[in-house]
Amino acid sequence: MTEIRTPRLLLRRWHDDDLVPMADINADPRVMRWIDDGSVRDLDHTAEAIERWEEEWDEEGFGLFAVELLASGELIGFTGLSVPEFLPEVMPAVAISWRLGSQYWGQGYASEAAHATLEFALQDRGLDRVVAIDRVGDNASENVIRKLGMELERETAHPVHGYPLRVHAIDLTEFQA
């Protein structure tokens, strides 16, 4: 079982009891505003997503971690690594991403989890480069990306929805663990 502990968080594989809290996060329009077409997701969509995330762990050796608060054990969202197949122009690539419930924003959790995930990519999985793809205007994600030391590599557009995207990258040999 792959787990990472940070001072305040536990990053781990998914459990059955994560479905309802993750579905609640996915049902929040503020959370989903910057994701795909901005629509919220229901319980069934969330169950399918968690199943895909677990399959990616099995196939790739990495994936999206469930993120829980160490102090309370409550699920606050996810962070992790995935293959960004939706954006063929950056392939082959591994992307870091995160999604936290809005009540957990502004407390440094996304940065803490993402930093631990980059360490995992470098030290445990031997990756030499990771990208982050964010939607132009998503200033909160931009701030996390900047804190990770990632550099803007290109601007492009979402191939389905057409909105502007930024692709950032970091060479993990230069990552400050």
Side-chain angles (χ1 to χ4, degrees):
M1 184 84 142
T2 303
E3 291 186 347
I4 300 171
R5 289 181 184 271
T6 71
R8 302 180 296 165
L9 305 172
L10 174 64
L11 284 61
R12 58 167 173 76
R13 299 283 296 265
W14 294 86
H15 301 156
D16 291 341
D17 59 356
D18 295 329
L19 176 58
V20 171
M22 192 66 221
D24 290 344
I25 293 167
N26 286 340
D28 183 341
R30 293 169 298 168
V31 171
M32 300 306 291
R33 175 181 178 198
W34 301 105
I35 299 164
D36 292 329
D37 65 357
S39 61
V40 297
R41 312 254 166 72
D42 63 14
L43 192 69
D44 290 338
H45 264 102
T46 302
E48 291 169 10
I50 291 173
E51 188 175 316
R52 280 193 317 274
W53 301 337
E54 279 296 296
E55 286 172 4
E56 189 162 36
W57 271 106
D58 295 337
E59 293 168 10
E60 301 289 346
F62 56 76
L64 298 177
F65 290 103
V67 178
E68 73 176 52
L69 292 177
L70 280 174
S72 66
E74 69 187 295
L75 181 83
I76 66 169
F78 72 68
T79 189
L81 303 168
S82 61
V83 177
E85 293 173 354
F86 79 96
L87 196 59
E89 68 192 74
V90 302
M91 297 300 290
V94 175
I96 187 170
S97 59
W98 47 86
R99 183 181 309 161
L100 301 182
S102 58
Q103 66 270 42
Y104 306 106
W105 294 354
Q107 300 173 59
Y109 294 134
S111 296
E112 185 174 326
H115 192 273
T117 299
L118 281 181
E119 284 187 33
F120 168 78
L122 170 64
Q123 296 170 357
D124 291 1
R125 293 305 180 246
L127 299 175
D128 57 4
R129 182 173 175 275
V130 172
V131 300
I133 303 162
D134 72 318
R135 193 166 166 180
V136 172
D138 182 356
N139 295 329
S141 288
E142 190 79 25
N143 287 337
V144 173
I145 290 166
R146 190 170 28 261
K147 288 177 187 176
L148 294 174
M150 300 183 96
E151 298 291 332
L152 180 65
E153 187 172 85
R154 72 170 69 193
E155 294 190 5
T156 188
H158 192 287
V160 174
H161 304 297
Y163 50 71
L165 296 173
R166 288 192 186 109
V167 179
H168 308 263
I170 188 165
D171 177 342
L172 292 181
T173 61
E174 298 173 1
F175 174 64
Q176 301 297 313

